[in-house]
Each structure stands twice: as C-alpha cells, then as structure tokens.
Amino acid sequence: MHLTPRRIVTAAAALLLTTLTACSSLTGVVSPASARNDAAPAGAKRAVGPVDCKVAKCVALTFDGGPSKPTPALLDVLKRENVPATFFLQGKGHTDTYPDTVRRMADEGHEIANHTWSHENLTELTPDEIRAEIEPVQHDIEKATGRTPTLMRPPGGATDDDVSKVMKELGLAQILWSVTAKDYQTTDTALIKKRVLDQTRRDGIILLHERYAGTIPAVPDLITELHHRGYTFVTVTQLLAPAHPEPGKVYRP
C-alpha cells in the first residue's frame, strides 16, 4: 500500500472512524472467540488444525499491501522463526509484478488473502466497481498458487453492509484487526515494536506492512517477545478454527 501524505491522513481517518463507530453500520461482525464457540457447542468434538486457539494463547500476524521488493527478506525471517503469517495482497504493482513471491508465500505455508487492486475505499464504490477491485487480485493469486483466496481486508477497514453483500457473492470473508503499529507513518523500528507489544492481547490480529523501512527489522524481536509472553502464532483461518470464515461476514477481535 503506497501512501502519499494525503492518503496517510485518509487511511488514519478511516481507521479512527472504524475504531470509534465499532462498525456500527455493519451487521454480522464476529470475534474469533465467538466464531470458535459457535462452531463447537460445549461438549462437542471439535475438529481443529495444528493449534487449538480455544486452549492456546493465539495471535495472528498479518501484512498488507504486498508483495513488494522487500517481501522476500520478511519471508526469510518468518521461515527462520517458523512463524506463519497471513498476507493481504494488493494487485496493481504487486501481485501482477511479483508472482514468484506470491508463489513462495504459498509454498512456505503462509495464508494468502485479497487487499484489492488499487486500495480504494470500497464504501464509496458501486457493486460493479467493488468487484473490479477484487476479481483481478483473485485471478493473479490463483494463477500464481493454484488456489483462490477466501479472505479479504477492506482498505482502511472501510466496509458496510453493501460491501458485505458483494463479498458474500464473491465468497470472501472480511478480516479487520486489533493491533496496528501505523508503520506507514514512521521508520522507527523501536516505536513499531512498542506499539505492537502494547496492544497485543489474546486472539489479536496484528496489522503490519512489510514495504515500509522500519517494519521488517522489528519482526524478529516482536516474534521473540510475543513467544516469551506465551503467544502462539497462527494464520487468520487457524485463529477462527474450527469455524470456517463465512463469506460476507466481518471478523474482528
């Protein structure tokens, strides 16, 4: 996600609005814990993945706006630390430019999701315009990996019931976040680490952007410290298991 000063202000405003309104214009906002509990009534046998986040203290590490030139360096860190991440990929200048990096993400076990073609505010678009933001990225990812994403993240967290209706038609669940370092505003690695560590709680979804200079250097220490605090890293889909992300719904801790 490339942000000019004007777009930084817009993105920050959208994030603030989302936080303050708590998605008041939305129906169907679900927390990871609620999704897990609804999928597995008390006493029922639950089919979960490699980690049971009802027992483990889970957190999901997510990255927006790639792939980009620095992404392989991040993948090297994640491979060394044996940590899975969820990547919300942007289209124009990204999935169409770095298909080998997209393929490597999939090959190394990361979850790949959609972050639109050109990072437009989806709530300001018509249904056809929303589809035009989503479908080319789906195509690029499928071409690179053989699989089509089932998750997306609306730019700036801006969504509403009209957007949700289109996402349901396209088979995509919407994933927001609970932790942001606002790394698009700073190159201060120490500040990025502090912001993440101060905000992270159980079932948290951490939002970072690997294309900004201060972010990748922060990741090894974040992983070490969060492991020290007892957290287990999972993908977003693993965080919700045994629930399956439902198209059109919005998930947020």
Side-chain angles (χ1 to χ4, degrees):
M1 178 175 68
H2 178 67
L3 292 176
T4 63
R6 180 180 178 182
R7 295 195 73 175
I8 288 173
V9 172
T10 301
L15 174 60
L16 178 61
L17 179 62
T18 300
T19 302
L20 292 177
T21 62
C23 296
S24 59
S25 65
L26 283 168
T27 57
V29 180
V30 182
S31 72
S34 294
R36 293 193 302 264
N37 290 336
D38 290 346
K45 185 176 181 180
R46 299 179 304 124
V48 297
V51 179
D52 184 351
C53 292
K54 193 168 184 178
V55 177
K57 187 178 172 183
C58 292
V59 66
L61 187 60
T62 74
F63 295 89
D64 281 11
S68 55
K69 188 175 180 180
T71 304
L74 172 62
L75 293 174
D76 290 343
V77 172
L78 297 174
K79 184 175 183 179
R80 183 177 70 242
E81 301 292 339
N82 195 28
V83 165
T86 300
F87 288 90
F88 292 87
L89 302 186
Q90 198 167 316
K92 186 178 181 180
H94 299 280
T95 58
D96 63 352
T97 305
Y98 301 98
D100 290 344
T101 302
V102 178
R103 191 173 300 110
R104 179 182 169 188
M105 290 173 179
D107 289 345
E108 294 184 358
H110 301 293
E111 184 165 40
I112 300 176
N114 194 316
H115 193 47
T116 76
W117 181 255
S118 57
H119 206 266
E120 296 294 326
N121 184 330
L122 298 181
T123 65
E124 298 175 353
L125 304 182
T126 67
D128 284 346
E129 289 170 335
I130 294 171
R131 293 184 190 96
E133 279 290 307
I134 298 296
E135 290 173 341
V137 184
Q138 294 288 89
H139 174 75
D140 282 354
I141 293 171
E142 183 178 20
K143 184 177 179 181
T145 69
R147 295 189 294 274
T148 304
T150 58
L151 307 180
M152 65 84 63
R153 175 168 284 158
T159 187
D160 58 22
D161 286 342
D162 292 333
V163 174
S164 295
K165 183 178 179 180
V166 178
M167 292 307 113
K168 184 175 182 178
E169 294 170 359
L170 295 176
L172 290 163
Q174 302 172 81
I175 308 299
L176 302 185
W177 60 90
S178 59
V179 180
T180 175
K182 297 183 179 179
D183 50 356
Y184 49 83
Q185 293 179 339
T186 180
T187 59
D188 187 337
T189 293
L191 179 59
I192 291 169
K193 289 189 290 188
K194 182 179 187 305
R195 286 173 172 173
V196 171
L197 293 173
D198 285 350
Q199 296 173 59
T200 299
R201 303 291 183 271
R202 185 173 188 165
D203 288 341
I205 298 177
I206 299 169
L207 167 60
L208 293 169
H209 305 79
E210 76 267 21
R211 65 180 303 170
Y212 298 114
T215 301
I216 294 176
V219 172
D221 286 348
L222 284 174
I223 291 171
T224 298
E225 180 58 27
L226 289 172
H227 273 149
H228 178 72
R229 296 182 184 189
Y231 288 98
T232 297
F233 289 95
V234 294
T235 65
V236 169
T237 294
Q238 290 169 345
L239 185 67
L240 301 178
H244 298 284
E246 295 186 30
K249 282 196 174 181
V250 178
Y251 294 87
R252 183 187 60 193

